[in-house]
Amino acid sequence: MTRVVMGDKEIEYETAGQAGPLVLIMGLGGQLTDWPQALVDQLAEHFRVITFDNRDIGLSMYSNAPAPTRWQLIKANLRPQSFRPPYELDEMADDVAALLNSLDIDAAHIAGMSMGGMIAQAFTIRHPHRVLSLCSVMSHTGDQRNGRPKLKVIARLSRRGQPKREDILDLTIATFRLIGGADWDEAEQRTRSAASIERAYNPGGVLRQSLAIAAAPDRTEALGSVTQRTLVVHGLDDPLVRPSGGIATAEAIPNSRLLLFPRMGHDLPATRHAELVEAIRSNARSAHELATAAG
């Protein structure tokens, strides 16, 4: 793993593979190690896969702003423009641009899951010339009417706060039991999550990232200007970001392809890796053909 320092930005990243660049953007509280290694390995057969820690998580830079209280998070969800978070999803999207700059990459294929999908969307809106193709997985447009979690999920997550390090693994597994689909593998998840917790633990960062999500504006109108080939993926059994979030994303982006997986919740089960890899490859090929035809 490698850390790059760009002004006030410090980002930890890792690469695998040698072909065209594909940036994978992780979701809320997730580290680069939270991508299933088998999925990264399959993608690395066709792309130069770049994974990294978002700001405020893993080994990347941490914010020194106080973590939001439960009331502040509730208020931000109810009134997204009521106050400014320590940083915004747009700034996290600009972190991706800074990482590409450090790697001397002009443009890349961009894929993100959950919060990472939101960041990928924001990156495409803010830096369209740097996006070869876009893939948004288990995410939404920021429109509060779509993709809202089920009430039992809200109730569970609202009680987490900043758990102690010795408790977080069991809490993580309990959460995935709630949000994972029928093909979710608990043993594999426990191994991967334990490794990530051992690597780094910053519960305040998770709360600040949550605030950035809650305070983000609706991207629906801006997504209407996206011209890149876009793949939208969602699990039909996702209770955290319900499928309406993916459907709304596909409806917002012209000529996008929507892929809905049964038995998949808010997770990336091994049973779907081959299909997901082929869909990302197909989307990238389509983008290349379109660019070639355009001259």
Side-chain angles (χ1 to χ4, degrees):
M1 299 179 190
T2 307
R3 172 175 292 211
V4 294
V5 179
M6 303 148 291
D8 62 347
K9 298 178 186 292
E10 296 183 16
I11 300 176
E12 188 80 10
Y13 74 95
E14 187 174 56
T15 65
Q18 300 297 324
L22 168 66
V23 179
L24 300 183
I25 309 175
M26 179 43 68
L28 173 65
Q31 303 178 44
L32 63 84
T33 48
D34 285 303
W35 288 102
Q37 188 60 50
L39 176 60
V40 172
D41 290 344
Q42 290 181 53
L43 287 168
E45 295 176 8
H46 311 286
F47 299 94
R48 178 189 179 190
V49 180
I50 302 164
T51 54
F52 70 100
D53 293 332
N54 283 306
R55 65 166 66 192
D56 232 356
I57 213 71
L59 303 180
S60 286
M61 57 192 173
Y62 288 1
S63 169
N64 57 12
T69 64
R70 184 177 303 176
W71 168 243
Q72 286 175 318
L73 285 172
I74 293 172
K75 184 178 179 182
N77 276 282
L78 294 174
R79 298 176 59 195
Q81 306 306 316
S82 59
F83 60 93
R84 185 180 177 88
Y87 50 82
E88 300 177 343
L89 292 183
D90 282 352
E91 294 172 82
M92 300 179 79
D94 291 345
D95 293 342
V96 180
L99 178 59
L100 291 180
N101 290 343
S102 74
L103 297 175
D104 293 322
I105 296 173
D106 292 330
H109 302 284
I110 305 295
M113 60 166 282
S114 196
M115 180 188 74
M118 304 171 202
I119 295 170
Q121 294 170 27
F123 180 80
T124 304
I125 292 166
R126 294 172 68 80
H127 306 278
H129 62 290
R130 310 200 69 170
V131 179
L132 300 175
S133 69
L134 170 64
C135 178
S136 179
V137 184
M138 61 181 86
S139 194
H140 61 67
T141 65
D143 178 355
Q144 298 293 325
R145 296 170 297 179
N146 297 300
R148 293 191 65 80
K150 291 186 176 180
L151 290 177
K152 63 180 181 180
V153 176
I154 295 175
R156 168 67 63 83
L157 295 181
S158 66
R159 294 195 298 267
R160 283 184 56 141
Q162 298 189 63
K164 295 180 180 179
R165 190 168 191 154
E166 59 267 27
D167 298 328
I168 188 59
L169 180 58
D170 287 340
L171 286 171
T172 298
I173 297 305
T175 298
F176 270 100
R177 286 197 191 108
L178 188 63
I179 66 176
D183 289 342
W184 172 66
D185 186 328
E186 178 172 338
E188 194 272 340
Q189 182 71 54
R190 183 175 288 274
T191 298
R192 190 167 66 247
S193 294
S196 290
I197 294 166
E198 177 67 22
R199 178 175 180 259
Y201 181 57
N202 183 27
V206 179
L207 294 176
R208 286 186 290 268
Q209 288 183 353
S210 298
L211 191 60
I213 294 171
D218 184 359
R219 295 176 296 279
T220 302
E221 182 177 353
L223 289 171
S225 65
V226 170
T227 58
Q228 289 82 356
R229 284 289 190 243
T230 300
L231 171 69
V232 179
V233 179
H234 221 104
L236 287 170
D237 296 336
D238 189 342
L240 180 60
V241 181
R242 282 191 272 188
S244 59
I247 293 169
T249 303
E251 290 176 345
I253 301 175
N255 302 313
S256 59
R257 177 192 175 196
L258 176 63
L259 185 58
L260 297 172
F261 284 137
R263 296 179 61 84
M264 179 170 131
H266 203 77
D267 61 327
L268 295 169
T271 53
R272 295 297 177 188
H273 287 179
E275 292 168 277
L276 182 57
V277 170
E278 181 51 39
I280 292 173
R281 288 185 65 202
S282 177
N283 194 51
R285 284 195 301 265
S286 180
H288 177 71
E289 292 167 359
L290 182 65
T292 301

